[in-house]
Amino acid sequence: MLAIALALAASASWGLGDFLGGLTSRRLHVLTVLVVQQVFGWAAALSWLVLSGDGYPGWEATAWAASAGVCGCVGIGALYRGMAVGAMGIVAPVSALAAAIPFAVGVASGERPGALQVGGIVLALAGVAVASREPAERGGGQAAGIGLALVAALGFGLYFVFADRAADESVPFAVATARGVSLAVALAAALLIGASLRPGRSFLPALVVVGLCDVGANVFFSLATTYGYLSIVSVLSALYPLVTVALAA
């Protein structure tokens, strides 16, 4: 039950953060949003790591966490941009197809969810599919939004798998390392294309909330994978579009 509660908390936190991130990306460059919100998220993750007292878990855990950070950055960047140019009610649910990747990996690794759990997973994914049927905004943004949503799904799916591996050794270290690498990737991309890193004071409250929601969801998800099956936790965590769609409505 603890794993389920943590996974649902992750989905709620991601849903709120993604809504605000996508909304803000309609007025700011997506890389500006990514960099600034991740500064706040990384600061929170580092504080947790210091307070936890966890030591260095080794190069293997670091590699898994770094890989999670890269994939997470690609995923969230594609999601924010997709929601900025397309319909949130379609882009967010399509990105939740990410759950199929860790579910397949979990089963292939020997996880055997029970019949009731499999039934719940099918219903959850069906619910996401139903949510994605919300009418798109008028204009040419739908196709681009869906393409970016699929990129986000791939990035998030791989993030789920890599974060699960990294969290086995130390959840605080995994979250802080993934967040730091994600920030570095976003910052490098922003500097490369010359995106502004000064969003303006009026945007800071929203970006702080986005950063804290994102890192909070990472914490909840990583903790959940240490208590339950990746195949189940990832599907429940992927229910975040329900929150995003509700807020968008």
Side-chain angles (χ1 to χ4, degrees):
M1 290 300 296
L2 180 57
I4 292 174
L6 289 168
L8 291 176
S11 68
S13 190
W14 264 319
L16 174 58
D18 290 346
F19 169 73
L20 292 175
L23 200 63
T24 308
S25 295
R26 292 182 174 181
R27 301 180 64 187
L28 296 174
H29 195 286
V30 65
L31 288 175
T32 304
V33 175
L34 269 181
V35 171
V36 177
Q37 67 97 339
Q38 292 197 82
V39 168
F40 295 111
W42 191 39
L46 283 177
S47 299
W48 184 38
L49 176 60
V50 171
L51 292 174
S52 73
D54 283 7
Y56 178 62
W59 68 268
E60 186 174 356
T62 303
W64 285 122
S67 299
V70 172
C71 293
C73 184
V74 171
I76 201 167
L79 178 64
Y80 287 177
R81 183 57 183 165
M83 290 193 295
V85 302
M88 283 190 183
I90 290 180
V91 174
V94 169
S95 72
L97 293 173
I101 297 175
F103 178 78
V105 170
V107 172
S109 301
E111 295 181 359
R112 294 295 179 265
L116 184 61
Q117 293 170 323
V118 171
I121 289 170
V122 171
L123 286 175
L125 292 178
V128 170
V130 170
S132 69
R133 295 180 63 84
E134 180 171 316
E137 295 173 350
R138 294 183 179 182
Q142 181 179 351
I146 291 178
L148 289 164
L150 292 174
V151 173
L154 178 61
F156 290 151
L158 294 176
Y159 168 83
F160 286 151
V161 174
F162 297 150
D164 171 54
R165 298 292 190 272
D168 289 340
E169 299 299 327
S170 169
V171 173
F173 180 85
V175 173
T177 301
R179 182 58 46 201
V181 170
S182 182
L183 171 59
V185 172
L187 180 59
L191 293 175
L192 183 64
I193 69 169
S196 172
L197 298 180
R198 305 179 69 177
R201 292 184 179 181
S202 63
F203 293 103
L204 286 180
L207 293 175
V208 170
V209 174
V210 173
L212 294 180
C213 283
D214 190 28
V215 77
N218 293 331
V219 170
F220 290 137
F221 172 80
S222 297
L223 287 173
T225 62
T226 65
Y227 290 102
Y229 286 161
L230 172 65
S231 54
I232 296 174
V233 167
S234 58
V235 172
L236 293 176
S237 298
L239 294 177
Y240 62 86
L242 302 180
V243 177
T244 303
V245 170
L247 292 172

